Amino acid sequence: MTLEGARERWVRTGGVELCVAELGDASNPTVVLVHGYPDSKEVWSEVAGRLADRFHVVLYDVRGHGRSSAPQPLRGGFTLEKLTDDFLAVADAVSPDRPVHLVGHDWGSVQAWEFVTVARTKGRIASFTSMSGPSLDHFGHWINKRLTRPTPRRVGQLLGQGAKSWYVYLLHTPVLPELAWRGPLGKRWPKILERVEKVPRGDYPTSSLPQDAAHGAWLYRDNVRARLRRPRPDAYAHAPVQLVTPLGDAFLSERLYDGLEEWAPELARRTLPAKHWIPRTRPDQLAAWITEFVTANEGGAVTSTGAGTGKYAQRFGGQLVLVTGAGSGIGRATAFAFAEAGARVVAVDRDAESAVRTAELARLIGAPEAWAETVDVSDGQAMEKLAAKVAGEYGVVDVLVNNAGIGLSGSFFDTTPEDWKKVLDVNLWGVIHGCRLFGKQMAERGQGGHIVNTASAAAFQPSKALPAYSTSKAAVLMLSECLRAELSGQGIGVSAICPGLVNTNITSTAHFAGVGAAEEKRRQKRSARLYGLRNYPPEKVADAILRAVVRDQAVVPVTPEARGAHLLSRFAPRALRAVARLEPPL
Ligand code: NAD
């Protein structure tokens, strides 16, 4: 997407001319997007295009950037007071009668914090979405608090943020930054963004970059030291704030926003696993969150993304999560945990009724939307149809949980080729189909995501009683590791979950090879009783799954016996081999 087709106007204010672009119907609520450093308004082109259907989208080049003129002299021309004048002039020009919804990234957010906390803008701002740019006043208080009452933790936080701010010190040196940006750094910047920040090429950065970056150094010089030394004591937000925090930001620590509720009483928090330049790398997610927040603050009904509750709501609210085997046990508990966090859930199971039930309950628990799909994961064609339907109707999946699986017990020689085929078709091929189809959509979208594959402790604990099942799960574990390596550069995490004994229906449906129907029933009952006595709830596995996504963990043994077996497999494999020879208790 580009800003082509945008309507352009010029706004004169305080001796500069600002280049303002507008998209969408001007009678819709106005959303003003403010860019950061070293950027121009084009940093927003992907997000702006996604918002233009529903909103009047306004972008402007900050003074001295893009096609806006620069103040003369530069020194003293970039103070937050002057930037506030510019914002008010733009807001008056594009939306004279209605307050606007502000969105700022990086320095665009730093200045927007000023706009939303000074008295003269009261009534002109309906909401503010902040990303990767704190208020200098709040930052100043944050530092002071840690200096005046230092604890080891607070000193650690100070040092951590201090290390991330190296470029701020550099930008305060005279002339050097300008020389670097107009010289080699300016030339290399697009490549650096692509390589380090994974920013895809497009209409950004624009050719004005060296000039923008040279002028923009004054943003730092005119404001940072003065504000950090003497932060305003009354920097309270007078509009609702949505804070979007990318967890992999190389320049800002998450801890900076601790206690922000004190300054912004109406605060909604969102986190996402991404680096600093989210307007370029995560436009779908940002557009969805901005749409929800603006709509809510316009008094409209919010349907597309969820607010969610619980400890993972900030991370999964509004995300699209697909869980296979969601009709029972671990899959159902996982669908519910994501629903509680406000995710939109697709519950897939070969058993139609139980999938529908999971979707119904997921909606009650908190999913803004939930759908049931009846599919056998081992059927490649059916999975292809499912992938096409999901992409077409619900969107690209953000989190995929390949969980459907079946149990199979019996010695190697009792296990028939049909038994092998069945267990590998579901437990391994089901995972392969899921990864191939939904993983490809994630990779092609290029905006990250996460794949969770339910393996088992049996993946690293050999057993003479479970050769086929364990082989299928060991394959899932290895597949997950390989795929994790392959997708690591694309912001897509892959986790293998390895539970021990969990109290679910799997025991009553597991096949016992080499025995008659009556004996099979008896063994199913006995193992169900054993798992019942062990009584490890699937909800705990679900919790481990959400945590694995948040922390991007590679292999997650769940239950003490799984953790023990995992440790032994690494440090004492002989002990595991001895356990493998024991008669199963069934
Ligand atoms: P469960 O039997 O309670 O649930 C499995 C669900 O998957 C069922 O709803 C079932 O209908 C569905 N399913 C089975 N085959 C399917 C197919 N071909 N296509 C679509 N859906 C299918 O079992 P659970 O314990 O919740 O198992 C979930 C996963 O966890 C499985 O992969 C299992 O191997 C794994 N696991 C379970 C345990 C445990 O102790 N329960 C331990 C380790 C790993």
Side-chain angles (χ1 to χ4, degrees):
M1 275 178 214
T2 67
L3 288 179
E4 250 171 58
R7 307 181 293 281
E8 243 179 44
R9 66 162 96 194
W10 295 86
V11 171
R12 268 171 219 277
T13 160
V16 295
E17 260 197 324
L18 301 176
C19 178
V20 181
E22 288 168 82
L23 291 143
D25 186 340
S27 65
N28 283 333
T30 300
V31 177
V32 178
L33 307 170
V34 191
H35 71 78
Y37 177 86
D39 283 328
S40 58
K41 61 182 176 322
E42 282 71 19
V43 75
W44 287 117
S45 62
E46 292 291 330
V47 175
R50 286 162 168 82
L51 295 175
D53 279 351
R54 301 186 54 171
F55 303 112
H56 172 214
V57 183
V58 176
L59 316 89
Y60 65 98
D61 286 322
V62 171
R63 51 172 57 209
H65 295 69
R67 291 163 61 210
S68 294
S69 62
Q72 286 305 332
L74 293 170
R75 178 190 298 275
F78 289 84
T79 59
L80 287 168
E81 291 75 14
K82 288 184 176 157
L83 297 169
T84 308
D85 293 340
D86 292 355
F87 160 68
L88 281 172
V90 172
D92 287 347
V94 297
S95 179
D97 308 318
R98 278 170 82 178
V100 302
H101 297 270
L102 252 178
V103 179
H105 173 249
D106 185 88
W107 254 94
S109 170
V110 174
Q111 44 177 309
W113 270 114
E114 175 82 0
F115 309 161
V116 82
T117 56
V118 291
R120 64 193 172 115
T121 58
K122 256 191 195 155
R124 297 298 289 126
I125 300 170
S127 77
F128 168 37
T129 296
S130 159
M131 40 192 102
S132 290
S135 149
L136 291 183
D137 298 301
H138 302 165
F139 192 9
H141 290 295
W142 185 89
I143 294 173
N144 286 344
K145 204 170 176 181
R146 279 153 186 79
L147 286 176
T148 48
R149 269 171 285 150
T151 60
R153 217 172 121 243
R154 285 177 163 173
V155 172
Q157 291 174 352
L158 262 180
L159 293 176
Q161 180 53 46
K164 287 188 171 211
S165 298
W166 54 271
Y167 65 100
V168 180
Y169 319 126
L170 278 184
L171 282 164
H172 277 83
T173 58
V175 193
L176 271 180
E178 280 87 340
L179 284 176
W181 280 113
R182 290 187 198 278
L185 186 56
K187 272 198 205 92
R188 289 209 192 114
W189 190 245
K191 273 232 162 72
I192 296 176
L193 276 184
E194 199 178 346
R195 241 185 247 153
V196 182
E197 286 283 329
K198 310 290 177 214
V199 170
R201 288 282 175 106
D203 60 336
Y204 165 89
T206 58
S207 56
S208 63
L209 167 79
Q211 171 104 329
D212 302 340
H215 285 158
W218 288 101
L219 289 168
Y220 293 85
R221 294 169 184 156
D222 276 352
N223 298 295
V224 174
R225 256 187 297 192
R227 275 302 169 92
L228 293 191
R229 218 174 280 156
R230 236 170 280 115
R232 286 187 298 133
D234 58 350
Y236 296 103
H238 47 66
V241 178
Q242 168 170 241
L243 178 76
V244 179
T245 310
L247 300 172
D249 198 319
F251 310 105
L252 295 161
S253 142
E254 258 182 281
R255 299 274 75 84
L256 264 185
Y257 304 109
D258 284 355
L260 187 61
E261 283 76 3
E262 182 192 337
W263 299 107
E266 288 177 81
L267 182 69
R269 289 176 184 261
R270 303 284 197 187
T271 59
L272 76 175
K275 298 188 173 199
H276 183 75
W277 262 275
I278 47 179
R280 302 306 299 179
T281 59
R282 298 290 185 272
D284 283 346
Q285 184 63 80
L286 293 187
W289 282 340
I290 294 167
T291 300
E292 178 193 338
F293 198 60
V294 170
T295 309
N297 284 296
E298 284 285 320
V302 179
T303 51
S304 60
T305 67
T309 54
K311 57 186 167 182
Y312 299 120
Q314 289 174 23
R315 172 68 173 73
F316 296 117
Q319 293 218 320
L320 184 62
V321 178
L322 185 142
V323 183
T324 69
S328 168
I330 295 170
R332 178 172 271 182
T334 303
F336 291 168
F338 278 112
E340 195 186 354
R344 298 146 65 223
V345 174
V346 187
V348 178
D349 205 288
R350 67 175 170 194
D351 182 71
E353 221 172 280
S354 62
V356 167
R357 186 82 186 123
T358 299
E360 277 170 6
L361 291 171
R363 272 191 293 272
L364 288 178
I365 289 171
E369 293 171 298
W371 305 272
E373 297 291 345
T374 313
V375 174
D376 178 342
V377 295
S378 66
D379 179 342
Q381 280 181 353
M383 285 292 277
E384 256 175 54
K385 269 196 202 144
L386 174 72
K389 180 177 180 193
V390 169
E393 293 183 16
Y394 318 138
V396 174
V397 166
D398 295 297
V399 181
L400 165 70
V401 186
N402 288 308
N403 162 79
I406 52 174
L408 172 62
S409 184
S411 76
F412 177 75
F413 291 113
D414 281 340
T415 308
T416 64
E418 289 70 39
D419 291 333
W420 273 98
K421 188 166 162 16
K422 206 167 160 199
V423 79
L424 289 176
D425 274 354
V426 178
N427 290 9
L428 177 58
W429 274 101
V431 176
I432 296 174
H433 292 317
C435 292
R436 267 193 67 236
L437 297 160
F438 293 101
K440 191 158 182 226
Q441 290 175 3
M442 270 182 204
E444 279 174 359
R445 175 178 66 167
Q447 296 183 44
H450 204 101
I451 298 175
V452 177
N453 295 328
T454 310
S456 165
F460 36 77
Q461 163 70 72
S463 158
K464 69 177 189 180
L466 297 167
Y469 181 79
S470 304
T471 303
S472 74
K473 293 300 184 181
V476 168
L477 178 58
M478 182 51 85
L479 165 65
S480 308
E481 289 275 23
C482 295
L483 196 58
R484 182 179 174 87
E486 182 168 338
L487 296 177
S488 66
Q490 299 176 55
I492 300 174
V494 181
S495 305
I497 305 298
C498 303
L501 306 183
V502 184
N503 194 9
T504 69
N505 278 336
I506 200 162
T507 40
S508 355
T509 54
H511 176 47
F512 288 79
V515 297
E519 176 60 15
E520 180 169 61
K521 265 266 146 325
R522 196 187 65 80
R523 291 195 187 189
Q524 285 173 342
K525 269 199 186 142
R526 273 190 63 177
S527 58
R529 206 172 321 125
L530 183 80
Y531 279 53
L533 281 174
R534 168 73 185 85
N535 203 18
Y536 194 90
E539 290 73 22
K540 278 195 171 178
V541 186
D543 196 52
I545 288 178
L546 271 70
R547 200 167 47 240
V549 179
V550 170
R551 296 187 185 165
D552 189 17
Q553 291 166 309
V555 180
V556 184
V558 191
T559 73
E561 63 274 14
R563 280 197 295 276
H566 191 233
L567 274 178
L568 289 179
S569 72
R570 291 161 75 187
F571 302 113
R574 285 172 134 204
L576 280 193
R577 287 183 196 123
V579 175
R581 294 177 189 184
L582 298 178
E583 274 310 321
L586 302 172

